[in-house]
Amino acid sequence: MADITGLSIVAAVLGSAALAAGKRIVERRRARRALRERPVLDATTPEGSEVRVTGVVRALDETLEAPLSARSCVVYRSRIYVRRRFGATAVDANESLRMVTFALERPDGSLVTIDGKHVMLDLDPLKQKYDPARSNRLGLLLGLSIRGLRGAKYEEVIVEHGMRVSIAGLMMKDLSDAPPTGESAFRDTAPPALRIAGDATHPLAISAAFAD
């Protein structure tokens, strides 16, 4: 009887892990497909088009502290996977996802602003052991009880300053605050600044850098 109970527990844990892994794979494939299907941003891209841009992440005025790893970043997604009840194979993914506006520096040195609240991530989770106090604090913030965190699995994905990534989203043109230069300064407005935006219908997609 004890052996059967032990096997049931092992099966439940493995089942939960498999379901969590399956969820991650589906999400990463969606993000990767969105990036692969978008054309590369160039000078002829019309405003409102879905495009892909590759570059190095540059933090602006505001940054975030990832709740599990305590690392400074511009995007984080922290997850806790818990079984719905003892012995169940179904698993719930409770998550905290935040993003602040940041810039992407392109190979030519130009900057593109990245802005949005909805994002899909095709990035590897951090490989580190998380502090139990931080894990419990995140669980409480997500409305979970400490008791309910027994056997939970934790995962965190971040986008931080200096990372080289590819991002897909809607290309927008904003009027630049910088004054125009040259002889036409009194007649012309400043060139528009480029921004890649995301919303609920067209979320941003972020992955490791594509070979554009």
Side-chain angles (χ1 to χ4, degrees):
M1 185 67 177
D3 290 342
I4 294 176
T5 302
L7 289 173
S8 298
I9 294 173
V10 170
V13 171
L14 292 177
S16 295
L19 287 169
K23 180 179 178 65
R24 288 194 297 269
I25 290 171
V26 169
E27 290 173 336
R28 295 190 66 167
R29 282 178 177 172
R30 284 182 60 202
R32 198 172 304 149
R33 183 169 60 250
L35 281 150
R36 188 169 53 244
E37 293 175 351
R38 303 299 179 260
V40 176
L41 173 67
D42 64 29
T44 64
T45 302
E47 185 174 13
S49 300
E50 293 186 79
V51 297
R52 180 175 81 239
V53 60
T54 298
V56 178
V57 174
R58 300 302 182 200
L60 298 176
D61 295 334
E62 185 181 3
T63 58
L64 302 167
E65 182 181 284
L68 291 175
S69 64
R71 288 169 65 165
S72 177
C73 58
V74 293
V75 183
Y76 73 72
R77 187 188 66 207
S78 305
R79 280 184 175 161
I80 304 177
Y81 294 97
V82 294
R83 293 197 303 277
R84 292 178 184 173
R85 62 183 183 278
F86 180 76
T89 56
V91 63
D92 288 326
N94 304 270
E95 72 173 40
S96 175
L97 172 64
R98 287 195 62 194
M99 172 178 169
V100 294
T101 302
F102 62 96
L104 202 66
E105 183 179 352
R106 303 168 72 189
D108 63 2
S110 63
L111 295 176
V112 178
T113 302
I114 310 297
D115 181 41
K117 300 300 180 186
H118 300 271
V119 59
M120 301 183 295
L121 300 172
D122 176 27
L123 296 167
D124 294 332
L126 296 175
K127 294 181 179 180
Q128 67 177 75
K129 189 173 182 179
Y130 300 122
D131 178 68
R134 284 187 165 273
S135 302
N136 290 341
R137 190 179 306 123
L138 177 61
L140 292 174
L141 288 173
L142 293 175
L144 304 173
S145 67
I146 297 299
R147 184 177 180 181
L149 294 176
R150 293 177 182 173
K153 303 296 183 183
Y154 299 87
E155 174 189 283
E156 192 162 75
V157 176
I158 67 171
V159 178
E160 58 188 341
H161 179 85
M163 284 180 64
R164 190 168 183 271
V165 298
S166 290
I167 301 178
L170 296 170
M171 194 278 282
M172 310 299 290
K173 294 182 179 179
D174 301 324
L175 188 62
S176 176
D177 292 332
T181 59
E183 295 180 359
S184 61
F186 294 100
R187 298 190 302 272
D188 300 336
T189 58
L194 298 182
R195 175 167 57 94
I196 304 298
D199 55 28
T201 305
H202 303 91
L204 293 165
I206 304 177
S207 78
F210 271 54
D212 290 334

